Amino acid sequence: MSDIEVDLAKIRSNPTVSDTQKIKMFYDLMKERDIEPIVLRLSGYVKQKPMKVDYLLTFTPSRIILMRKSFIRKLTDPGFGAGLGPYLYFVLSKKIEYSDIKKKDSSVLKDSQHSQEETSIPYKDITKFVLYPDTKTLVSNMLGTAIRENVLIIHTKEKKYELILPTGKNGKYEKILYWLKMCLPVKIAAK
């Protein structure tokens, strides 16, 4: 067993702490080991005429990374793309084993050169973080009513990012909001 596997297993198996405390312990462990783990991933897009531009939103303990999806990635995207990062999912869930974790999908390189397709937004630069269900995409049928898209707006000191988060790839608004509140060090506004 590797050192990190042992430490993550200790956090996971501690019955005396809440999920929020486990997340804090996880962040502290990763910081101590100088690892920038992937905490949460969402799929989104920006409407740009004449078409839309797809993004992968990667949340770490210190920043949000917006990565423009390549044409190939858009074609091979399997659908549901959201979820907790593998290390954090391992800590909070009994459903996976450490051997199931793909190391390359668990963390990002802190000092890597950013490509033109990537934008990094440190949480300290965020002045307002807004998430709300887009009622314009409300769909009703015999089974009920559902909202097909959510809107995420990130205001920084210098720029505003407005992304559409499809529920088919990310899950329902309540689920996204729950994990963002649990995992991110920013206050989330509803418009």
Side-chain angles (χ1 to χ4, degrees), residues 26-85:
F26 168 75
Y27 282 0
D28 291 344
L29 174 67
M30 294 291 122
K31 187 174 183 178
E32 180 183 298
R33 294 184 178 269
D34 201 31
I35 297 171
E36 188 173 17
I38 293 170
V39 174
L40 187 67
R41 274 219 163 115
L42 298 173
S43 288
Y45 68 89
V46 175
K47 292 179 183 174
Q48 286 184 345
K49 295 183 179 177
M51 53 195 271
K52 65 180 185 168
V53 179
D54 292 298
Y55 284 90
L56 184 64
L57 291 75
T58 302
F59 297 84
T60 74
S62 62
R63 62 187 170 138
I64 302 168
I65 302 165
L66 302 175
M67 173 98 65
R68 189 172 176 167
K69 289 183 184 178
S70 67
F71 180 72
I72 302 280
R73 182 162 191 150
K74 282 192 275 187
L75 289 177
T76 60
D77 199 344
F80 193 82
L84 290 176

Side-chain angles (χ1 to χ4, degrees), residues 71-101:
F71 180 72
I72 302 280
R73 182 162 191 150
K74 282 192 275 187
L75 289 177
T76 60
D77 199 344
F80 193 82
L84 290 176
Y87 284 144
L88 186 56
Y89 185 51
F90 173 77
V91 167
L92 297 175
S93 173
K94 303 285 187 216
K95 293 181 181 178
I96 68 165
E97 297 301 321
Y98 189 80
S99 58
D100 298 333
I101 296 173

